[in-house]
Amino acid sequence: MILLFGMELSNYLSVSTSTSIVVDRSKDGDFLRIDFNMSFPSLSCEFASVDVSDVLGTNRFNITKTVKKFPIDPKLNQIGPQFHPGPVPIPISHGDEDHDSVEELNGGAFALTEENFDRVAARFPIFVVNFYAPWCFYSNRLSPSWEKAATIMAERYDPETDGRILLGKVDCTVHQILCRKHHIQGYPSIRIFRKGHDIRGEEHGHHDHESYYGERDTNSLVTAMESLVAPVARLALDGGINNTSGTFNASMKRPAPRAGGCRIEGFVKVKKVPGNLMISAHSGSHSFDVSTMNMTHYVSDFSFGRRLPLNKLKEVMRLTPQLVSQGDHLPVKVYVSEHENITHEHYLQVVKTEVLSTKFHESVLETYDYTVHSNVVQTQTIPTAKFHYELSPMQVLVKETPKSFSHFITNVCAIIGGVFTVAGIMDSMLHGAMRMMKKVELGKQF
């Protein structure tokens, strides 16, 4: 009786669920959260952009409010704090309207190479460098005004006698090693180096400096350079240096990347319709050499749905521990570009699973499982990492099946009555057998 009662009690206390396939009744206008954590060893945080689009025509570019970026080295180690780009203005003027030939203006900006860059940078409190590419439209627009600005600043602050500022230039098609060392991925990139404020790591070769994002006509450039020079005292023979922080408009500059890679993590909310989440390099005032861009990426997390509070997570573990044990649906995986100019496309078929609990009288879990198929495509445009997601119109519904206490009591009573009945029958049979054996024994004696 005790054994049967224990088995019945265990069955009553166990969780019973039923599974069915139903139509997804999500309301029109509901949003779906996508969490992600991905590392791009060869994509700079300066230009990395998270974009979202869908079949309804929604297009959101360079999402920053819910996305964090961290500079990383080729081994995926974080270099320094979070990258805070701030507002990125698009210059209205990319150069002077009167385009003088670059040949006539050559000589204003100091030509830099791998051999002289560090030596020249160590001489000047303010060292501003234009990293350019001759094939780039924006670089060609900037070149005349940059040469003019360099000439004007050299006349006002003679590099030999004053020594407060120098404007230089680097041709990245010739000095590729130097440009890679400074993590140049978009052209033109104007970098501001301050003597005494640059940090160079032997292992990673990173620098603490800023990128100039202001207007690119001669007058604007000269005004910006003057604001940089203003706080710097004139150098005497002893080379004394005062504060070099500069005071021009903060919107005209932003931190330069400290490493050539970027870890992108955060979330976006999208409509529950087929769409795309894309990560690539974007800029309204730079050009990119697509033949050198590598979109190799490591996926640490890519999941759909909201995060659960602790109390509901415990309830889910009680009802469907197999769902919780799955964890993040996409394991850590690397998608390698065998060569540059490769776009990675991931196709995700997403199915919603909803768990209903009698304890909370509501849905305690909405999880999204998916299958993924990946492909690589060689492209002539800027390569991207594209995640195309498509939600199934059907969903899996898991319900907890409640067990009646009256049914449990009835079964317990049945156990008690049944045990007594069976015991009585067995006792009667045993007693009858004993009497028969005694009669047989008496018969033999007489």
Side-chain angles (χ1 to χ4, degrees), residues 311-316 356-364 400:
N311 60 334
K312 290 191 176 183
L313 182 60
K314 291 180 179 179
E315 180 68 6
V316 172
L356 299 178
S357 168
T358 56
K359 178 180 177 180
F360 288 89
H361 303 288
E362 63 177 4
S363 171
V364 295
E400 181 181 9

Side-chain angles (χ1 to χ4, degrees), residues 140-158:
N140 292 328
R141 287 289 306 272
L142 171 64
S143 288
S145 54
W146 186 255
E147 297 292 339
K148 289 180 184 178
T151 301
I152 293 172
M153 295 305 294
E155 292 173 352
R156 296 181 184 179
Y157 307 95
D158 187 272

Side-chain angles (χ1 to χ4, degrees), residues 335-338 342-347 374-378:
Y335 297 90
V336 180
S337 296
E338 297 295 338
I342 290 293
T343 286
H344 293 263
E345 297 179 343
H346 308 283
Y347 299 90
S374 300
N375 187 35
V376 295
V377 179
Q378 189 162 8

Side-chain angles (χ1 to χ4, degrees), residues 367-430:
T367 185
Y368 293 82
D369 296 311
Y370 59 82
T371 59
V372 58
H373 302 277
S374 300
N375 187 35
V376 295
V377 179
Q378 189 162 8
T379 177
Q380 299 302 318
T381 58
I382 297 176
T384 65
K386 179 188 292 186
F387 297 82
H388 175 78
Y389 53 89
E390 189 164 340
L391 282 79
S392 170
M394 309 301 291
Q395 73 170 57
V396 179
L397 184 62
V398 180
K399 290 184 179 181
E400 181 181 9
T401 304
K403 296 181 179 178
S404 171
F405 182 73
S406 61
H407 184 70
F408 169 70
I409 294 297
T410 302
N411 285 350
V412 170
C413 292
I415 289 173
I416 296 174
V419 168
F420 274 107
T421 301
V422 173
I425 294 173
M426 294 179 66
D427 179 69
S428 176
M429 293 175 62
L430 182 61

Side-chain angles (χ1 to χ4, degrees), residues 77-129:
N77 298 315
Q78 182 175 330
I79 305 299
Q82 177 183 346
F83 182 77
H84 294 282
V88 182
I90 299 177
I92 298 175
S93 61
H94 298 282
D96 291 335
E97 294 301 326
D98 51 332
H99 305 295
D100 296 329
S101 65
V102 177
E103 290 76 9
E104 296 176 2
L105 298 169
N106 273 339
F110 191 88
L112 299 163
T113 65
E114 289 88 348
E115 291 74 21
N116 65 11
F117 188 94
D118 289 337
R119 183 176 69 255
V120 174
R123 285 186 54 197
F124 297 90
I126 302 295
F127 183 43
V128 189
V129 182

